[in-house]
Every structure is written in structure tokens, then in C-alpha cells.
Amino acid sequence: MKTDNLQYLVITPARNEEAFLELTIQSVMKQTVRPVRWLIVSDGSTDRTDEIVTRYAAQHDWIELFRMPERQTRHFGGKVLCLNTGYARIKDLPHDVIASLDADITFEPAYFKFLLDKLASDPQLGLVGTPFSGDGLTYDYRYS
């Protein structure tokens, strides 16, 4: 299967990510292969996260904000709930691949094309990703 034929959706859980979100949005906007839809699920953000997403969504019809109710605590279960809620909202759009993207990372313009190429070249793959760095540490979780 050719990469050009693969369509993908991106779901980003975001809770109070105003410090990093705009850089993530810029990274996705520069992709050589654009997603069918990028749903940013605000997990009850109390900062400017929703405002930032709304500004970009008004200019790009493939970016969408969905707001979850505000919660008092931050925990991993909230992220899973955002992913599941987000997928339920966009699952009927055409797609071959679903991407889960954190709201606080940046990457090169061919990042998603690279991942799609990996999936297209090996139909046995069900999950792809890359090493990442943060706070001076590099994480390189590879599946064999």
C-alpha cells in the first residue's frame, strides 16, 4: 500500500497546555501529509488552551476543538477518556490510521509521512512511533 493512499486522524488530549500547544499546532500544520481531521480534546483546561485551538480551528477546517468537562485532578485515566471520547466523535470520518499526539511536542514536517511509510511498507505493523526527548532525557521505547 502506498503512503499517499493512507488517511489518518489525529487525537490530542490537552489539559492546560498553553505553554507548548502552539508549537505542536505549528508542527502539525507544516506536515507534508495532512490529517483528515485533528481533534484536540481539551480535558477541562483552565488556561488559554481552548482559546489557542479555537483560533487555529477558525482558520483550518481540519482542526477541531472538543471540550471535556472541567476536572479537579490530573491523571492518566483522563487522557484515556479524552482519546476514547475523541475517537467516538470522529470515527466515521475516512481513515486508515489513528494517531495519538501529545500537546507538548514538536517534530519535523515529514514526521507523519515517515510513520505512514512504515505502516504502508509492512502490513503486519499495528503500532508505530519514534524516540523522543524531554527534560534532557531521551526515551527510545522500541517494540520488537
Side-chain angles (χ1 to χ4, degrees):
M1 179 179 285
K2 291 177 52 181
T3 301
D4 298 343
N5 297 336
L6 291 179
Q7 294 182 301
Y8 70 106
L9 306 173
V10 179
I11 303 170
T12 297
R15 181 172 168 89
N16 295 335
E17 296 285 0
E18 73 175 318
F20 307 103
L21 182 59
E22 199 142 15
L23 293 173
T24 304
I25 291 172
Q26 293 295 326
S27 289
V28 175
M29 289 176 52
K30 292 176 184 173
Q31 291 304 293
T32 58
V33 179
R34 181 176 292 156
V36 171
R37 178 71 44 90
W38 182 17
L39 180 62
I40 301 170
V41 181
S42 175
D43 191 13
S45 293
T46 57
D47 66 357
R48 293 181 45 248
T49 294
D50 295 4
E51 176 187 325
I52 292 166
V53 176
T54 299
R55 187 171 73 243
Y56 283 94
Q59 298 170 23
H60 306 280
D61 63 357
W62 52 275
I63 300 174
E64 180 182 347
L65 170 69
F66 181 78
R67 181 170 171 82
M68 299 287 285
E70 197 172 314
R71 289 184 293 111
Q72 296 300 316
T73 59
R74 183 179 185 131
H75 56 81
F76 185 75
K79 183 174 185 174
V80 172
L81 181 60
C82 285
L83 287 168
N84 288 339
T85 301
Y87 181 67
R89 183 170 177 83
I90 61 176
K91 69 180 181 183
D92 293 329
L93 294 173
H95 68 283
D96 303 293
V97 177
I98 303 160
S100 170
L101 178 67
D102 285 350
D104 60 355
I105 63 171
T106 59
F107 38 89
E108 298 300 316
Y111 182 71
F112 279 110
K113 181 178 183 333
F114 172 80
L115 296 176
L116 293 170
D117 283 346
K118 293 295 181 190
L119 289 167
S121 69
D122 185 351
Q124 298 275 340
L125 289 176
L127 177 69
V128 293
T130 59
F132 63 95
S133 300
D135 296 328
L137 300 171
T138 297
Y139 302 89
D140 187 1
Y141 301 109
R142 294 181 192 246
Y143 296 91
S144 47

